Amino acid sequence: MKKIVLIVLLTLLGGGLSAQTNSRKAARQVEKARRAAMDSVLHLGAVQALESGAFVVEADRLIFKRGRTASVSSNTNFVSRDGDEAFVQIAFNTVLAGPNGVGGITVRGNVSDVTVRTDKKGYLYYGMNVQGIGISARVDIMLIPGTDRASVTVDPNYSSNRITMEGRVLPAVDSRVFKGRFH
């Protein structure tokens, strides 16, 4: 009798464990589907922002020309465009204020020669020239398919001090960046 009760209990417990395992798998699948749907919506917003010419790429990582990287604050490191005007701001996490008051530089320029194309793998490439008092550079943005993540290369025309920024593409109205003093 004890054996029968023990077998019944083990069977019931085993079924409960199996149900819990299935429930966890289902919850993971639902979460994965929710994340994929959210990424898709964010990607569409990023594409629309780039195509409309009113966007901000909030960078959380900088990559320098020899491969060194730095994690930075996304509200003070960005590339933005609103109509014919563009800003590039780079601010390091230091105690020094820098020329822009937030630890780096902020430059403003006029936008020209905008190009937008999508390759067959789904990468969107957005390029523009930015010309102003403090900047003369080519800015190239590569939006990763299915996400709002992008890589931005700022390539100055008169020096080899290229810098790459990685971050999120947002519509200009949704961005919360802090602009320092600019030239």
Side-chain angles (χ1 to χ4, degrees):
M1 182 70 171
K2 286 182 180 180
K3 275 187 171 181
I4 294 174
V5 171
L6 183 62
I7 291 173
V8 169
L9 282 174
L10 288 175
T11 304
L12 290 174
L13 285 175
L17 290 175
S18 177
Q20 282 181 344
T21 302
N22 289 339
S23 174
R24 286 183 190 141
K25 283 181 185 177
R28 281 194 300 264
Q29 288 173 343
V30 166
E31 179 61 22
K32 187 176 179 180
R34 187 191 68 74
R35 267 189 264 135
M38 181 60 94
D39 285 345
S40 180
V41 168
L42 292 172
H43 179 75
L44 289 175
V47 169
Q48 288 175 346
L50 288 168
E51 290 177 347
S52 73
F55 64 86
V56 176
V57 181
E58 295 182 356
D60 51 26
R61 186 171 167 206
L62 300 178
I63 303 169
F64 302 98
K65 79 175 183 180
R66 290 192 174 83
R68 288 193 354 237
T69 64
S71 294
V72 293
S73 174
S74 63
N75 65 343
T76 57
N77 290 273
F78 63 90
V79 171
S80 70
R81 177 181 175 203
D82 195 2
D84 291 336
E85 187 174 62
F87 284 90
V88 176
Q89 178 170 292
I90 299 170
F92 303 100
N93 301 332
T94 66
V95 294
L96 301 173
N100 64 357
V102 291
I105 59 165
T106 305
V107 289
R108 174 180 64 179
N110 295 319
V111 174
S112 65
D113 298 329
V114 175
T115 59
V116 181
R117 70 178 177 85
T118 304
D119 71 6
K120 56 186 168 184
K121 292 183 180 180
Y123 288 88
L124 185 138
Y125 295 93
Y126 183 97
M128 63 183 172
N129 288 329
V130 180
Q131 183 74 38
I133 294 172
I135 186 171
S136 176
R138 177 74 183 170
V139 177
D140 292 306
I141 301 169
M142 181 186 67
L143 181 65
I144 298 169
T147 71
D148 63 346
R149 299 287 300 173
S151 175
V152 179
T153 302
V154 180
D155 196 4
N157 294 333
Y158 302 115
S159 73
S160 63
N161 293 329
R162 183 177 73 200
I163 192 163
T164 301
M165 307 166 88
E166 293 179 347
R168 297 178 55 214
V169 178
L170 300 168
V173 296
D174 294 341
S175 178
R176 303 209 186 281
V177 295
F178 178 78
K179 264 184 212 160
R181 291 185 304 266
F182 51 87
H183 302 286

